Each structure stands twice: as C-alpha cells, then as structure tokens.
Amino acid sequence: MRVAVLLLLGLGLLVAEGRRDRCFFNRTQEYCVCYNLSEETMSSIIQCLSATVVEFQGGDLEKYIAFPIRDLAPSAIETLGSLVIQKIIIGNVLVPEILLARVLRFFSYTHVQELAFESCIFQGTGNWSAMDGQTLPIMSLSFHNVTSSPLTGHEQAFSSLGRWLGTLQELAVTGSRVTSLPCAIGRVFGALRSLSLAQNSLGDRSLAPALCQGAFPRLQKLSLHHNRLSSYHSVCEGVGLLLELRYLDLSHNQLMANSSSSSCQWPASLRHFNLSNTGLDEVLMPLPPNLEVLDMSHNHLRALDLLLSSLKKLFLSQNLLQAVPSIRNYPRLDTLHLDNNSISELPRDEVTLLGRLQDVAVADNPFSCSCSGAGGLQALAASGHLGQGWPEEYRCQSPAQYQGWPVAQVPVSVLRCHLAAMVAPLCVILALLGVAGAVCLLRTRPCSRA
Ligand SMILES: *[C@@H]1O[C@H](CO)[C@@H](O)[C@H](O)[C@H]1NC(C)=O
Ligand SMILES: *[C@@H]1O[C@H](CO)[C@@H](O)[C@H](O)[C@H]1NC(C)=O
Ligand SMILES: *[C@@H]1O[C@H](CO)[C@@H](O)[C@H](O)[C@H]1NC(C)=O
Ligand SMILES: *[C@@H]1O[C@H](CO)[C@@H](O)[C@H](O)[C@H]1NC(C)=O
Ligand SMILES: *[C@@H]1O[C@H](CO)[C@@H](O)[C@H](O)[C@H]1NC(C)=O
Ligand SMILES: *[C@@H]1O[C@H](CO)[C@@H](O)[C@H](O)[C@H]1NC(C)=O
Ligand SMILES: *[C@@H]1O[C@H](CO)[C@@H](O)[C@H](O)[C@H]1NC(C)=O
C-alpha cells in the first residue's frame, strides 16, 4: 500500500480513504484542482478520477524522497490504465528530481498526453536510468517559471529520456530565464513540431547554436516572443536550418535592421510571421517570400509597400500609416486590420476592393467625414465585412461640424453629397428642355402631337 500511495502521490493520482476536502472538481469543465499536495490530499483526490485535467497547486514533495518505490501490481496498472486524465498541471511545487525520475515511468500506464509544470523548483539531479529505452504517452511537455540546476549537469537524463523525448511533439520552456540551449539538446527532439522559448533571455548569439545542424529537424512552430533578440539578420540566420518551419513569433523583441540583412534567406516553408511590437520604423527586408499571415501591428510604420502574392492576413493595427496599403499587391488577401493608425480617408476604389475581403478593421483612425470619407466607410460597413468596432469606434476628426461624431451618423445622401456633381448635368437637361420648348413654340403644331 505504501508503494501505491507514494506512486499515486508522485503522479498526483492518490487513492485512499479520508475526509478532508482539498480537491475541487468542476464537473462541467471536467477539471479538478487539488491544493497542497501531501498525504492528506489523498483522501480527496478520489473525486478527481473522472476529470480530464487535474491541477495540483502547492506542496512539498521533499519529505517523500526516501520512500521506496517498486514495480506495480497488475491491479494498480489496470487502475492507471482506466483513468481518463489527459492533462496534469503541477504548480508551485518543490519537485525533487530524484522522485520525479522514479515515478515518471509509471506514466506509461496512463493516457496522460500533457504534463505542465508552473512555478516549480526542481531540486537536485535524479537517476533516470529506469527510463532507458522507455516511451511515454506524454506528447506535450511544458515548463513555465521553473527553476532547476543547470542543463549541463543533465546529460544522463537526456540520454535516458531520449527515446521518449524523441517522440515528443510539443515543448515549452517559458518565463524561466533561459539564455542558451546546447546544440545537443535539440538533436534529442527528433519529432518535435512546436517549441516555445518565449519570455526568456535569449539574445542574438543564442539562436544559431541552439538551432544547430540536426537540432529540431521537424520543427514547424517556434515562439520567441518577449526575449532579447535585436538583430533581424541574426534571427534569420539562426532559423536557417529549420527547413519545415511554418510559424515564427518574434513579437515583443526590439528588432533592428542590419545592413547585411538582405543576404539572408528565410526558410521557404515559413507561412506565419509575427513581428508585432518589435519597434519597427520600417519594414525589414527581406521578408519570407511565401507568407500567408503577417503581423506587424504595434510598431511605428508610416508606409508599407510590399509585394506578397500569397498573403492572406495582414495585421497593421497601432502604427502610423496615413493611407490604406494598396491591396492590389496582395491578390489572396482576406483579412486586413488597420485600427489605430493615422488614416483619414478611404479612397472610393479602395473601398470597392476592401469590400471583397472577409474581415476589415479600421477603427480608431482620425477620419475626415467629408462626403466621400464618411460615404466610403458607410459603404464598406454596408458590405458587412467591417469587423468589430463598427459603429462605436469609428469617429470623425474633421470637418469641425462633425468632430467626435460616429461616422455612421454623418448624413451622406446623394442629394447632399453630390449636389455639385449633379448641378451641371441638370443644367444641361434643363437647357435642352428649354431649347425643345422653344422649338415647339416656333412650330405651329403643339409638341404633344409631335
Ligand atoms: C465550473 O466552471 C464553469 C466555467 O468556468 C463555471 O461557470 C462554474 O461556476 C464552475 N463550477 C463550479 C462548481 O465551480
Ligand atoms: C495550503 O497551504 C497554505 C499554507 O501552507 C494554506 O494557507 C492554504 O489554506 C492551504 N490550502 C488548502 C486548500 O488547504
Ligand atoms: C515564479 O515561481 C516562483 C517559485 O519558484 C514564485 O515564487 C513566483 O511567484 C513565480 N512568479 C510568477 C510570476 O508566477
Ligand atoms: C542509477 O540506477 C541504476 C539502477 O536503477 C544503477 O545501476 C546506477 O548505478 C545508478 N546510477 C547512479 C549514477 O547512481
Ligand atoms: C549585422 O549582423 C551581423 C551578423 O549577425 C553582425 O555581426 C553585425 O554586427 C550586424 N551589424 C549591425 C550594424 O548590427
Ligand atoms: C502576434 O503576437 C502578438 C503578441 O504576442 C499577439 O497578440 C498576436 O495575436 C499575434 N498575432 C497573430 C496573427 O498570431
Ligand atoms: C493607439 O496607439 C497609441 C500609440 O501606438 C497608443 O498610445 C494608444 O493607446 C492606442 N489606442 C488604442 C485605442 O488602442
């Protein structure tokens, strides 16, 4: 029993008797959260058994280090196999690695696909040899705000865990002050599709060594937002060996142009590129050629002149653009966001083109509500493709009489707005009628019979 208790404690799946409620199960969300992991938690954990997500918050496993852990009885294996738990979150726990190393293999009897550690401290180094050649059902592993001893002391762990890590699909190590990643680690993750190293301290010199030849060979998605990257060129060179990369998020770094940047080629596979909040005054070149989604919102761009024939979504909110970029350059575009720029008017022919997109947003711009200005926006809104924000966040800045008005309420009737345009033809018609009348009068017969 001791063994089972400890195992289940280690896995966070504790089955025992008792009274105190420390776990709370939300049936609608199939989510169970347990506080202060300890032997007392066991009494309550039984109610988590039908949850798909179980979260453990707080606790100290240090005192269980000395517990002996042996192999499981067939009945225990069967119990683990019957659980529906898919994701386990461990938060604010002090985790002795020696204990983790001993219980991790028991995950092979479960259906747990995701394991997440948040605000945990990993202590010491474990003996991972029990994991030699083992695989686990866990496909997604994440660490957020964790502290551990340096990775360099963990070669044995990586080699023992290699078989499993070689099948892992998703890995996130975020908010954990990571400054570098040894080349050899990337080579272990042969099947990894998604890697997030966001909110760390990676600099320009950390990327190329981490993404060395043979590292993360199947990587499709890389998130590097909120780091200390500054050279666009170094990033381009750093990811150059990731030939399957489709998605790259560099948002929240302060990127700068680099005179030699034009020589670097981004992986041709890149489709989704996030440069939001990167301090850009101008578009940095080159851009990946086959992009479908480009986010350059929250920058200081004043103009944009790009040719990206496969682009489908372009996000440019929170910039200093004074005009709508010419969307003729993006024949496949379906989404364009231009909120909070300095655009005062949408030209008529642009309105017609914008009306063909599925999702357009131009809220919080200083609109000029001349007849054509307000009329263009109203026509666009009528096409039904103006995204959220219409009508409240579309207000006139000029002329003075409409300042602060919602654009939607500016009267743009044909008569008011097109008076000048209509006067001339009207005169001609009247003049012609007048001539016709005069001709009639000069004739002897009444016009009505003519
Ligand atoms: C379960 O979660 C839902 C959605 O977050 C929430 O509305 C509900 O109040 C929760 N139920 C309990 C018992 O906490
Ligand atoms: C967990 O332990 C902390 C202190 O260690 C205590 O303040 C808190 O109330 C405990 N939470 C539960 C749900 O028992
Ligand atoms: C990060 O984890 C530490 C414990 O290791 C905790 O004290 C701290 O509050 C956490 N920070 C955040 C932002 O969650
Ligand atoms: C790790 O454990 C194995 C047995 O499981 C043992 O043979 C080996 O010596 C241990 N290694 C270390 C470094 O303690
Ligand atoms: C441009 O990038 C190269 C390679 O990363 C670097 O050595 C050089 O200092 C950078 N130049 C500038 C002006 O930032
Ligand atoms: C780009 O990154 C920002 C900030 O990290 C995020 O809010 C935004 O949704 C991302 N854009 C796209 C298109 O995924
Ligand atoms: C618009 O952008 C400016 C500067 O980029 C920012 O200060 C302001 O908060 C933004 N306004 C809205 C409504 O988001």
Side-chain angles (χ1 to χ4, degrees), residues 116-172:
F117 295 92
E118 292 168 6
S119 301
C120 288
I121 298 174
F122 292 90
Q123 259 191 346
T125 45
N127 180 350
W128 297 90
S129 60
M131 284 296 293
D132 277 337
Q134 283 249 19
T135 78
L136 297 177
I138 298 167
M139 288 288 125
S140 168
L141 187 57
S142 76
F143 302 88
H144 178 68
N145 181 28
V146 298
T147 311
S148 92
S149 48
L151 282 174
T152 40
H154 285 61
E155 286 83 5
Q156 194 240 335
F158 280 103
S159 91
S160 291
L161 294 170
R163 173 118 189 271
W164 163 47
L165 295 179
T167 66
L168 204 70
Q169 302 276 306
E170 292 178 18
L171 174 67

Side-chain angles (χ1 to χ4, degrees), residues 161-333:
L161 294 170
R163 173 118 189 271
W164 163 47
L165 295 179
T167 66
L168 204 70
Q169 302 276 306
E170 292 178 18
L171 174 67
V173 184
T174 56
S176 300
R177 300 164 296 275
V178 176
T179 54
S180 65
L181 209 60
C183 167
I185 288 184
R187 292 183 174 151
V188 173
F189 293 91
L192 203 73
R193 298 294 162 98
S194 169
L195 173 65
S196 177
L197 295 169
Q199 297 169 274
N200 282 302
S201 307
L202 296 171
D204 292 331
R205 286 165 205 274
S206 343
L207 279 192
L211 306 175
C212 63
Q213 186 78 47
F216 307 110
R218 310 302 306 276
L219 200 66
Q220 295 185 358
K221 180 171 175 178
L222 178 60
S223 298
L224 295 170
H225 61 84
H226 289 95
N227 270 285
R228 298 202 186 139
L229 302 169
S230 64
S231 162
Y232 188 72
H233 180 227
S234 304
V235 177
C236 177
E237 290 192 331
V239 302
L241 296 172
L242 301 175
L243 299 179
E244 297 184 21
L245 194 67
R246 292 182 62 83
Y247 173 110
L248 179 59
D249 184 353
L250 300 177
S251 62
H252 293 272
N253 284 283
Q254 288 296 309
L255 296 179
M256 275 178 295
N258 184 313
S259 49
S260 54
S261 60
S262 55
S263 64
C264 178
Q265 294 298 316
W266 294 94
S269 53
L270 211 50
R271 296 287 181 274
H272 185 125
F273 198 23
N274 198 333
L275 293 171
S276 173
N277 236 313
T278 48
L280 303 182
D281 296 317
E282 54 177 0
V283 179
L284 301 182
M285 289 293 166
L287 284 171
N290 303 316
L291 283 186
E292 291 177 1
V293 178
L294 176 58
D295 190 340
M296 294 198 293
S297 57
H298 296 261
N299 281 299
H300 317 295
L301 303 177
R302 292 175 182 277
L304 190 81
D305 185 18
L306 303 174
L307 239 169
L308 287 169
S309 55
S310 42
L311 199 66
K312 293 179 181 164
K313 301 189 193 304
L314 180 56
F315 299 99
L316 293 166
S317 300
Q318 311 258 356
N319 273 288
L320 302 168
L321 298 174
Q322 300 191 337
V324 177
S326 174
I327 63 173
R328 286 184 183 80
N329 293 349
Y330 319 109
R332 298 177 64 196
L333 201 70

